[in-house]
């Protein structure tokens, strides 16, 4: 038979009878003009491939209970009766792109050709303008099906947490979404207000870099004057992380904050990300990542915040005659200038504390810091100018009465930076085997700074029963933490070089005394909400616990040290309820105490911390300061016995 005489489906259709039947039905339908033949048509059932064949993209014969491929390979054959919805149809994305291009053209035409005839009485101008808006919104609404599909895949945020700013067909809502650059609706105003309240009540006291009245007012202004979206989202992420009601949302807010921060960097040449608001956002992102133990991200984010602070000149706020490029415009008033100071010092603290655990170099060089220490919180909120001192003057012991709580934390961050360079930047001329060598000169110099700060600290920075300021609490803890770090290194050097016994003995005494003081600070602050405590408070507690662990290995019968260790251990358990960073230190302590007589501390809970409160006063404040004075006098006596040539580097501060 020739090809011209061959039936059209003879070779391709394995069921010629059904094929001829289909032809008869279609011809009868064409002739009669009605669908009587449809009743005789039995559609072929769709064959469903098994899960294994679908995953491997193999042809499946659909036999039950086991298809041919699975029977041949000896695999378990499973059929999924529920078909998953596929993505948008082919060409639908290109169609949407074309329609979005129409939106852009319409918006450009509106900007270049404003309806100037609106007020002249010609109805055509108004009609054309409203038609443009209606056309834009129709395009946006037509793409809602694709947007919903996209949201199901890329945005896991609970839908009930949002409400739109207006009706979906409202021109204001559509235009606002476009002008703000939003890819999803913001939370409802009720949720926003509640999260803002939580942030300023519990997060802001420890990270005081935002001016509350000005920020909240700016959130309701136009798109060009609103805070960056990344800053708003990371604020809400911090608030949600300590809120039982919104705890499920903080990770999504964090992802959105990073998404918008990185998107701003990709706009234009990156100039959109060079602003004070973006620097604030990266500082908050960094602290959030530290708290959530995203350590690699936290290290990178702290570097980004530091570099951005330098780029916009926050390290030179109070410098005179600076002949460098100015990225930001001049501050409008003292209040705005103070906010820039605070953002810089928080970025500075993040930079220093990020390097403590790694020993990696810091970004900021103290020689480039020409920004005075921050003023008090009251002056900041009320816009009352207040004189503060520079970092260099603070190291020289000047202007201590004017030091604020946040200024004290910044000053301690600089001390940690000095200790970091002292411990992790070896010098071939250190001569650490010689008590009068460069290493021991630096050691005594740093120790003198800590002792002098402890003795001259203003009264508003000293702890009392009613202290609630988290920066005051952390500042006092940081003094003793830095002391422990400094003297533990001295113990190692003294024992390594087999130096006289009293050197290591004195450093061990200073370490155990500092650890006991950290325990006392925890007792005095046991009434403070853990969510308000500084993010790095668990680090200070862990350092103290390590001292007690080492001490009890040699003196296991010391009941006072054992009680203090149990107390700080239970304090970490309480802190971890609001600060996941504490859990990593608890895990490390579990490893340190496993298999020893101290392993019973692993069973302690936060109830011990709450019971202790203010009931125990093991070490009073007076003997502690008497010991500090004795140590300071001993250091000065050692300095005076050195030659004048060696005495200069260590005594010029006092």
């Amino acid at each position: 038979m020739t090809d011209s005489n061959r039936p059209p489906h003879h070779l391709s259709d394995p069921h010629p009878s059904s094929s001829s039947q289909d032809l008869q039905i279609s011809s009868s339908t064409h002739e009669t003009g009605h669908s009587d033949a449809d009743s005789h048509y039995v559609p072929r059932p769709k064959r469903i491939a098994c899960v294994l064949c679908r995953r491997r993209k193999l042809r499946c014969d659909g036999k039950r209970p086991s298809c041919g491929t699975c029977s041949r390979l000896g695999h378990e054959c499973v059929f999924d009766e529920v078909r998953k919805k596929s993505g948008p149809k082919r060409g639908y994305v290109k169609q949407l792109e074309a329609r979005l291009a129409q939106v852009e053209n319409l918006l450009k035409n509106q900007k270049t050709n404003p309806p100037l005839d609106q007020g002249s009485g010609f109805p055509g101008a108004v009609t054309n303008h409203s038609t443009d808006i209606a056309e834009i919104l129709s395009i946006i609404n037509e793409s809602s099906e694709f947007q919903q599909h996209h949201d199901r895949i890329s945005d896991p945020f609970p839908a009930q947490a949002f409400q739109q700013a207006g009706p979906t067909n409202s021109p204001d809502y559509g235009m606002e979404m476009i002008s703000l650059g939003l890819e999803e609706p913001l939370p409802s105003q009720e949720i926003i207000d509640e999260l803002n309240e939580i942030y300023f009540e519990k997060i802001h006291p420890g990270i005081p870099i935002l001016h509350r009245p000005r920020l909240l007012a700016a959130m309701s202004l136009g798109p060009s004057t609103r805070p960056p979206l990344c800053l708003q989202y990371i604020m809400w992420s911090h608030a949600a992380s300590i809120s039982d009601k919104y705890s499920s949302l903080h990770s999504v807010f964090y992802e959105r904050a990073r998404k918008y921060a990185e998107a701003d960097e990709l706009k234009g040449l990156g100039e959109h990300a060079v602003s004070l608001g973006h620097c604030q956002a990266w500082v908050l992102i960094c602290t959030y990542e530290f708290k959530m133990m995203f350590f690699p991200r936290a290290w990178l984010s702290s570097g980004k915040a530091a570099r951005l602070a330098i780029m916009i000149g926050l390290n030179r706020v109070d410098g005179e005659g600076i002949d460098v490029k100015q990225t930001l415009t001049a501050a409008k008033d003292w209040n705005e200038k103070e906010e820039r100071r605070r953002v810089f010092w928080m970025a500075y603290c993040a930079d220093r504390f990020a390097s403590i655990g790694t020993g990696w170099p810091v970004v900021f060089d103290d020689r480039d810091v020409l920004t005075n220490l921050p003023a008090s919180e009251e002056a900041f909120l009320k816009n009352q100018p207040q004189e503060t001192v520079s970092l260099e003057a603070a190291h020289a012991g000047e202007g201590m009465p004017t030091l604020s709580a946040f200024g004290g934390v910044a000053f301690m961050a600089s001390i940690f930076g000095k200790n970091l360079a002292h411990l992790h930047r070896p010098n071939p001329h250190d001569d650490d085997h010689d008590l009068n060598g460069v290493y021991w000169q630096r050691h005594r110099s740093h120790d003198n700074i800590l002792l002098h700060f402890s003795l001259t600290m203003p009264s508003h920075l000293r702890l009392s029963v009613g202290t609630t300021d988290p920066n005051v609490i952390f500042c006092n803890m940081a003094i003793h933490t830095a002391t422990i770090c400094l003297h533990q290194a001295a113990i190692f050097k003294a024992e390594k070089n087999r130096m006289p016994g009293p050197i290591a003995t004195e450093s061990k005494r200073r370490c155990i005394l500092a650890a006991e003081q950290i325990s006392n600070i925890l007792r005095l602050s046991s009434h403070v909400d853990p969510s308000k405590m500084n993010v790095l408070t668990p680090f200070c507690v862990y350092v103290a616990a390590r001292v007690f662990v080492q001490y009890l290995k040699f003196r296991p019968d010391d009941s006072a040290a054992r009680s203090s260790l149990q107390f700080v251990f239970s304090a970490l358990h309480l802190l971890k309820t609001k600060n996941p960073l504490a859990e990593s230190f608890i895990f490390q302590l579990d490893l340190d105490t496993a298999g020893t007589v101290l392993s019973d501390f692993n069973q302690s809970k936060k109830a011990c911390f709450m019971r202790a409160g203010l009931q125990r006063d093991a070490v009073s404040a007076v003997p502690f300061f008497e010991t500090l004075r004795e140590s300071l006098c001993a250091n000065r006596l050692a300095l005076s016995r050195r030659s004048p040539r060696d005495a200069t580097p260590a005594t010029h501060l006092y």
Side-chain angles (χ1 to χ4, degrees), residues 7 20 63 69 129 170 186 189 218 223 245 276 289 315 329 338 364 369 425 447-448 459 470 485 492 507 558 582 600:
S20 60
K63 290 183 179 180
T69 303
H129 177 66
S170 167
L186 291 171
Q189 191 59 46
K245 182 178 180 180
L276 184 67
E289 289 168 340
N315 62 319
T329 58
E338 172 64 16
F364 292 110
V369 176
R425 191 178 293 170
D447 195 28
N448 273 342
S459 58
C485 294
F492 172 77
S507 291
D558 192 323
D600 58 309

Side-chain angles (χ1 to χ4, degrees), residues 24 65 117 140 186 256 258 265 269 298 433 533 543 546:
Q24 293 175 3
D117 300 330
I140 294 175
L186 291 171
R256 290 187 178 178
R258 285 202 65 114
E265 292 180 359
L269 300 176
H433 61 279
M533 301 291 271
V543 170
R546 284 281 301 170

Side-chain angles (χ1 to χ4, degrees), residues 14-147:
H15 306 284
S17 60
S18 63
S19 176
S20 60
Q21 185 180 6
D22 293 345
L23 290 173
Q24 293 175 3
I25 292 174
S26 62
S27 61
S28 63
T29 304
H30 177 71
E31 292 174 358
T32 59
H34 57 80
S35 59
D36 291 341
D38 292 344
S39 60
H40 302 286
Y41 174 70
V42 179
R44 184 180 302 172
K46 292 184 178 180
R47 190 166 55 204
I48 299 178
C50 69
V51 175
L52 182 64
C53 293
R54 190 183 307 164
R55 185 182 305 162
R56 296 187 175 184
K57 298 183 179 179
L58 299 175
R59 187 178 183 83
C60 184
D61 57 16
K63 290 183 179 180
R64 307 294 181 98
S66 179
C67 70
T69 303
C70 293
S71 299
R72 179 168 50 84
L73 299 177
H75 294 299
E76 181 183 1
C77 189
V78 178
F79 287 88
D80 187 2
E81 301 294 339
V82 179
R83 287 180 172 268
K84 295 182 179 180
K85 293 184 178 180
S86 59
K89 296 180 180 180
R90 182 177 299 177
Y92 188 56
V93 176
K94 291 184 178 180
Q95 181 182 358
L96 279 179
E97 290 176 351
R99 297 187 71 81
L100 289 175
Q102 296 178 18
V103 174
E104 294 177 357
N105 292 333
L106 289 171
L107 290 175
K108 290 179 181 178
N109 293 335
Q110 288 179 10
K111 291 179 180 179
T112 55
N113 301 317
L116 299 177
D117 300 330
Q118 270 186 332
S120 59
F122 294 98
V126 178
T127 305
N128 292 337
H129 177 66
S130 60
T131 303
D132 290 344
I133 296 293
E135 187 172 355
I136 292 172
L137 292 173
S138 66
I139 295 172
I140 294 175
N141 292 332
E142 286 178 9
S143 64
S144 61
E145 180 182 354
F146 175 76
Q147 182 66 34

Side-chain angles (χ1 to χ4, degrees), residues 270-298:
E271 67 277 5
H272 293 276
V274 183
S275 70
L276 184 67
H278 285 85
C279 188
Q280 291 169 325
W282 281 111
V283 168
L284 292 177
I285 288 172
C286 166
T287 54
Y288 174 85
E289 289 168 340
F290 269 120
K291 184 165 66 173
M292 296 299 161
M293 296 183 290
F294 304 151
F295 297 126
R297 297 184 204 169

Side-chain angles (χ1 to χ4, degrees), residues 206-490:
I207 316 175
I209 60 174
L210 300 174
H211 190 266
R212 180 174 185 172
R214 186 165 60 245
L215 181 80
L216 296 181
M219 283 185 175
S220 60
L221 298 178
S224 60
T225 54
R226 289 188 184 183
L229 281 171
C230 54
L231 176 58
Q232 298 182 55
Y233 270 123
I234 195 60
M235 287 173 54
W236 302 334
S237 179
H238 271 284
S241 68
I242 61 170
S243 169
D244 295 334
K245 182 178 180 180
Y246 300 110
S247 60
S248 61
L249 306 181
H250 70 91
S251 60
V252 180
F253 284 144
Y254 161 69
E255 291 174 3
R256 290 187 178 178
R258 285 202 65 114
K259 177 184 71 173
Y260 283 114
E262 292 166 358
D264 288 343
E265 292 180 359
L266 297 177
K267 292 180 182 177
L269 300 176
E271 67 277 5
H272 293 276
V274 183
S275 70
L276 184 67
H278 285 85
C279 188
Q280 291 169 325
W282 281 111
V283 168
L284 292 177
I285 288 172
C286 166
T287 54
Y288 174 85
E289 289 168 340
F290 269 120
K291 184 165 66 173
M292 296 299 161
M293 296 183 290
F294 304 151
F295 297 126
R297 297 184 204 169
W299 171 259
L300 296 174
S301 297
S302 66
K304 186 167 290 188
R307 287 292 186 188
L308 191 54
I310 293 173
M311 185 187 301
I312 60 180
L314 299 185
N315 62 319
R316 296 172 173 267
V317 171
D318 296 294
E320 296 181 1
I322 304 302
D323 189 18
V324 295
K325 183 176 181 180
Q326 299 297 316
T327 308
L328 295 182
T329 58
K332 298 177 182 178
D333 53 14
W334 178 87
N335 190 270
E336 186 173 343
K337 196 173 183 179
E338 172 64 16
E339 185 174 16
R340 296 181 183 184
R341 290 192 191 101
R342 287 169 170 256
V343 176
F344 166 75
W345 284 113
M346 198 64 221
Y348 180 94
C349 292
D351 175 49
R352 290 302 190 266
F353 293 131
S355 298
I356 289 175
T358 61
W360 296 338
V362 296
V363 175
F364 292 110
D365 190 331
D366 285 349
R367 293 171 295 182
D368 297 326
V369 176
L370 300 177
T371 298
N372 291 345
L373 293 170
S376 66
E377 182 69 14
E378 182 181 4
F380 178 51
L381 287 178
K382 296 182 179 180
N383 196 13
Q384 296 176 347
Q386 186 180 73
E387 293 293 332
T388 56
V389 297
S390 65
L391 180 63
E392 184 180 4
H395 277 294
E398 301 174 3
M400 284 298 171
T402 65
L403 197 64
S404 65
F406 187 29
V409 173
F411 178 75
M412 286 309 306
S414 70
I415 296 295
F416 277 109
K418 287 183 177 295
N419 281 355
L420 190 69
H422 169 63
L423 302 177
H424 296 280
R425 191 178 293 170
N427 190 315
H429 305 291
D430 273 350
D431 295 332
D432 53 14
H433 61 279
D434 183 5
L435 190 58
N436 290 322
V438 176
Y439 176 86
W440 292 102
Q441 291 179 24
R442 286 200 312 266
H443 170 81
R444 286 187 288 267
S445 175
H446 295 341
D447 195 28
N448 273 342
I449 295 174
L450 287 169
L451 292 169
H452 187 270
F453 183 50
S454 298
L455 294 171
T456 61
M457 184 186 296
S459 58
H460 60 270
L461 293 186
R462 298 192 182 278
L463 286 173
S464 63
V465 175
T467 301
T468 58
D469 190 331
N471 282 327
V472 172
I473 297 170
F474 181 74
C475 181
N476 283 268
M477 281 191 184
I479 294 173
H480 306 298
T481 305
T483 300
I484 293 172
C485 294
L486 182 65
H487 282 276
Q488 281 185 336

Side-chain angles (χ1 to χ4, degrees), residues 459-593:
S459 58
H460 60 270
L461 293 186
R462 298 192 182 278
L463 286 173
S464 63
V465 175
T467 301
T468 58
D469 190 331
N471 282 327
V472 172
I473 297 170
F474 181 74
C475 181
N476 283 268
M477 281 191 184
I479 294 173
H480 306 298
T481 305
T483 300
I484 293 172
C485 294
L486 182 65
H487 282 276
Q488 281 185 336
I491 294 170
F492 172 77
K493 290 288 185 180
E495 294 179 346
K496 175 186 175 183
N497 296 307
R498 298 181 179 179
M499 303 185 74
I503 298 175
T505 302
E506 173 62 18
S507 291
K508 290 177 182 178
R509 187 178 70 88
R510 292 288 302 279
C511 285
I512 192 66
L513 181 62
E516 188 64 36
Q517 287 302 313
I518 292 175
S519 175
N520 289 336
I521 292 171
L522 286 171
R523 298 176 198 279
L524 285 174
S525 58
S526 59
H527 61 285
V528 179
D529 186 350
S531 61
K532 294 183 178 181
M533 301 291 271
N534 189 286
V535 173
L536 291 175
T537 299
F539 170 72
C540 300
V541 181
Y542 169 74
V543 170
R546 284 281 301 170
V547 172
F548 290 129
V549 169
Q550 294 297 325
Y551 179 81
L552 287 171
K553 285 181 180 180
F554 298 97
R555 295 187 180 181
D557 298 330
D558 192 323
S559 59
R562 179 179 290 270
S563 175
S564 296
L565 175 58
Q566 186 173 4
F567 178 74
V568 297
F569 200 95
S570 59
L572 281 175
H573 276 283
L574 176 64
L575 289 172
K576 79 173 184 179
T577 60
K578 298 298 182 181
N579 188 348
L581 180 62
E583 194 163 359
S584 66
F585 294 118
I586 292 174
F587 179 75
Q588 186 60 45
L589 280 178
D590 287 343
L591 295 179
D592 296 338
T593 60

